[in-house]
Every structure is written in structure tokens, then in C-alpha cells.
Amino acid sequence: MAKVFEHPIYVTRPLLPDITDVTARIKTVWESKQLTNFGAQHNELSDKLKVYLEVDHLSMFNNGTLALLLGLKALALTGEVITTPFTFPATVQALDWNNLTPVFCDIDPVTFNIDADKIEALITEKTSAILGVHVFGNPCDVEKIQAIADKHGLKVIYDGAHAFGSKINGIPISSFGDMTMFSFHATKLFNTIEGGALVYQDPALVKKLDLLRNFGIANSEEVVLSGLNAKLNEVQAGVGLEVLKVMDEERTKRHAVKKVYEQHLAAIEGIRVLTTLEDRASSYQYFVIEIDEAKFGKSRDDVHRELQKHNVFARKYFYPLCSDFDWYSDLPSARPENLPNGQKAVQQVLAMPYYGALSTDSVAAICGIIQELHVTQKSLSQL
């Protein structure tokens, strides 16, 4: 019989640097007497992230949602934005808060990213941009999306919350499109407890984003536009600097965990691994599987519940589909019949526990739970 874990196994665990190093960093902040407003920690982290991500223009924020919201604002978008229904709510909520109408495009059934072949048919005279999501760190079809955008004069923004540090054919993922948002939430591989950043191509956006994240204040006597308070503070930045030091080690550990999962799941019919990228192509953010009920014999929800019985807390991620939110019910693009792949995916995807400290024995035991459920169902179907 499959193992019941004594202690809960969750879908992720924050990457925490040595507390001694964090304490020393915070002591430096205390001695400076500056806790926020673009201090030494903020500026040092900004400089180091530009190097790590190989970018020229980067602005940090107190969370990824506000980063995306203000990034869209800075681009002065209007009307409609074509996007994916298969994403975290923050992606489309950032559109809502900019008075932009999402136009939902169905997803590719293999990558679960926005289907680039279906974008052009959704473009109208109201369309101002395409907002793609690198789902689970798998890159969108950036070349095809850019070609469509260039043809129709549209901006391209990417939600790269799952894609920090990853590359496409050796090119940093944030090099594509006009702007990419990264999340530094505690659940992300790189974290500042809460936080986020925008990377963008247009240097003119530097000043505009500086204003937007700081109330629109230009100097001690001028407020030149309507902004928000979206600054990353010194403690957050200090934690991020220490996290950055241990990231490569964590990536190596997650690579090993990924290999054990793949080894044990390979022989189970009806299970497909969605996060197959490795090395610099991968963010090592999540390990996600798709469960084909017809082949596996049980639904994704059945597997989810069975794991919980054994004290393993995987996540139905993403769920529910954003287009199913009540406030989009009047949008033609949100109708389920227009999003067949999205409607299917949201019932099949499961993010598995995945972090460097997860032991190989635990991974094997988790896979054993899934294997046992499959074998049991297969045996019953043969009666």
C-alpha cells in the first residue's frame, strides 16, 4: 500500500537563504536608516538582476501584479488585448484595472500557451496588444506572435511569472516582445518574499515607470501623473540579494528531482509531463503533469484527492479557467465552445510537489501513489 506521509508535502517551498546571511543583510538596512524609496539594497539588486537576466532596462515593483498593471499603463494601451484564458487571475485582472477588454484566444494543446495560429482571427480595429503567458515556463511561439504584431501594429507583452532566467535558443526570454513581467513571489524560484519586475526594450519607459510606481512624484515639489505606490522596499531587496546567491544550487537540485519524477512516471499510461525543458532553457519553476482520464482510468480530480489522502498537496494549476469568471460571461470570446483546448486543459493539469529539498525517496513514493491508483483502476476495468 502507498505511503502516507507523516508531514504534509506541499506543491512548493520557498527558497530560503541562510538566516545568518539574511540577518546580516537586514542589519545593514537598519544601519542605513532607509527602509524604502530606492535605497542601496534596491539599487544593488536591480543591477545584479540586469546582469543575471542579460537585460538593459529593468524596473522592480512590490509585486508582479502591480508590475504588469503599471506596465500596461505605461504602454498606453486601449481597447482590446488578445490573451489566454489559461493563466493565473492576475494576468487578466491587470487588464481589467486598465479598462482593457480581454479577448480570449484558445491554447495550444501541447504547450498550453496561447495558440499563435488562432490570434490573427481575433484582431479587430480595437485591438492594441497581445498578452501571452509563458505557461509553466514553456515559451510561447514568440516568433509567430511577433510577426502577427508587426503586421498589425500591435504591442506584445509577456507574463513571464514562470519563466525567470530561462532562454529560448540561448536568447534570454525577456528579449522577445515589448515587455516581460517577472514575479518574485515567495512561491517562485527567485523571490523577494513579495515582488516583481518589468523588463522592456524602450528606454523611454524607464522614467515613466519610475513615476508610475512612486505616486507620479517627479521631485519634492512636482507630481506629474497619477501613479501608485508599487516600490520594492529595502528588506525585500535584501532578501532577494541573498536568494540570488543560492539560486543556481537550487536549480541543480530541482533538476535532479525532475529526473526522478520523469523516471517513475514514464511508464504510467495517461500521464504526460508538461515541463520538459532543462538547463538554461528551463526556469525549473514547476513540475506539471497532464492526466488523460480515458487512458489513465481516473480523472485529474481523482488523483488530486488521492494524493491528499496521503498528505500530499498537489495543485490544480491553473483552475478555474479565467474566461469562466462571472464578469466575463458577456464576452463572446469567453464562451466555452470557443475555447475547447482551454476547457479541456483546466480539467487535466496538476502541479506536483517540486522543490530542491524534496527527497528522491519522497518523489518515488508520490509517484507510487499515482501508480497504485492507476493499477487499481486498470484491474477493476478488467473484471
Side-chain angles (χ1 to χ4, degrees), residues 23-35 41:
T23 301
R25 181 73 65 169
I26 293 177
K27 183 180 179 182
T28 300
V29 173
W30 252 238
E31 290 171 347
S32 75
K33 305 296 188 294
Q34 182 173 4
L35 299 181
Q41 305 297 315

Side-chain angles (χ1 to χ4, degrees), residues 1 9 45 51 54 79 118 120 125 150 159 165 185 222 231-232 263 311 319 322 335 349:
M1 185 173 179
I9 304 287
L45 179 59
V51 174
E54 300 177 45
K118 296 180 179 177
E120 198 159 17
E125 69 279 359
D150 290 344
D159 181 332
H185 186 267
E222 289 183 288
K231 303 183 295 293
L232 187 81
Q263 176 187 346
N311 222 8
Y319 183 88
C322 288
R335 292 172 185 163
V349 167

Side-chain angles (χ1 to χ4, degrees), residues 325-343:
F325 296 164
D326 289 345
W327 51 97
Y328 297 136
S329 60
D330 62 334
L331 296 179
S333 68
R335 292 172 185 163
E337 61 267 27
N338 292 329
L339 305 166
N341 293 330
Q343 291 291 335

Side-chain angles (χ1 to χ4, degrees), residues 61-115:
F61 298 81
N62 55 6
N63 62 64
T65 302
L66 284 179
L68 183 57
L69 189 155
L70 292 177
L72 296 170
K73 181 75 170 178
L75 292 172
L77 303 179
T78 59
E80 299 175 345
V81 174
I82 297 172
T83 192
T84 172
F86 190 69
T87 183
F88 190 69
T91 307
V92 292
Q93 287 167 345
L95 295 173
D96 294 344
W97 281 83
N98 276 283
N99 292 316
L100 297 166
T101 301
V103 175
F104 294 109
C105 177
D106 204 10
I107 63 173
D108 180 277
V110 177
T111 66
F112 286 15
N113 290 325
I114 189 170
D115 189 338

